[in-house]
Structures are given as structure tokens and as C-alpha cells.
Amino acid sequence: MTEIGFFRSFLLGQKSSILNKTQEFKAQHLSTSLHGADDAEMASFDLSMNVSLHLQERDRTALVQIERALAKIDSGTYGLCEACGESIEPKRLKARPFAILCIDCMEEQEDPRHSLN
């Protein structure tokens, strides 16, 4: 398997995992009955829902990044830095498969002095 094939397979696996979690969340939410629940049970359910919704939002963000990376694979631009156009190190892509910046550009972007200019 080529390196691009590895990343495509990995990203598709991540996408599938997120979509499955979303389906499980919806099914669990629909099957939860709070009829006759006391205040403590309602508070616990509310807290659980807030945590679940936060995780859903994080997954939704990851899904957008995965779709973007898959589109870049299809267009032949996967692994190229969006700032400088240079190749992103494979080691970085293995750690962050949807990285869009090389290390140098990422560090420059995160440098607080950069935002002052």
C-alpha cells in the first residue's frame, strides 16, 4: 500500500467511526425515557447530554477536516502545505493526518509576534 493509500484508508476509517458514533448517539437519545424521573436523574441526564453534544461538535469538526483531507487526496494536493506549498513531513501527517501546514508555517502562524505585524 502506498503512503497516500495508507492515509486514505486511515481517514476513511476515522470517518466511519465518527459516523457510527453519531448514529449511536441519536439512537441512545431517542431511546432515553425520562418519564417520572426525579430532579437528580434529570440533572444527570442534562449533564450527560451537554457532554455528548460537546463531543458531537468535536466529531463534526474532525469530520470536516477528514472530508477536506480526502478531497486533497483526490486532487493530488494532500501533504502540501497550504501556506508555502512545500511538502508536509510524512512524520507530521502520521501524527496529524489532516494537517494543512508544515511545521515551519504552523510555528510561524502560532508565534505571537506574527499577529503583531
Side-chain angles (χ1 to χ4, degrees):
M1 178 183 294
T2 66
E3 211 166 66
I4 292 294
F6 165 80
F7 287 117
R8 178 188 299 280
S9 179
F10 176 80
L11 291 164
L12 288 171
Q14 291 294 312
K15 178 180 176 180
S16 177
S17 175
I18 289 170
L19 293 175
N20 286 336
K21 282 195 296 185
T22 300
Q23 291 300 91
E24 289 171 14
F25 171 76
K26 287 178 183 176
Q28 179 184 16
H29 179 66
L30 290 174
S31 71
T32 302
S33 172
L34 294 176
H35 184 66
D38 64 17
D39 288 344
E41 290 171 322
M42 291 295 288
S44 176
F45 177 76
D46 285 346
L47 179 61
S48 176
M49 283 299 295
N50 285 337
V51 169
S52 293
L53 290 172
H54 173 73
L55 293 173
Q56 282 286 359
E57 183 60 33
R58 190 180 71 187
D59 283 348
R60 200 172 8 261
T61 300
L63 197 54
V64 168
Q65 292 174 323
I66 289 168
E67 290 293 344
R68 186 175 181 188
L70 289 169
K72 290 178 87 167
I73 287 173
D74 291 342
S75 71
T77 60
Y78 181 77
L80 298 178
C81 178
E82 290 185 1
C84 70
E86 295 295 319
S87 292
I88 299 172
E89 291 289 325
K91 183 177 171 181
R92 174 158 168 71
L93 289 172
K94 285 181 181 167
R96 289 198 42 90
F98 19 82
I100 60 171
L101 300 173
C102 67
I103 291 286
D104 291 339
C105 290
M106 181 197 66
E107 288 174 350
E108 182 179 323
Q109 189 177 63
E110 291 177 351
D111 186 344
R113 295 173 295 178
H114 183 296
S115 61
L116 296 175
N117 293 334

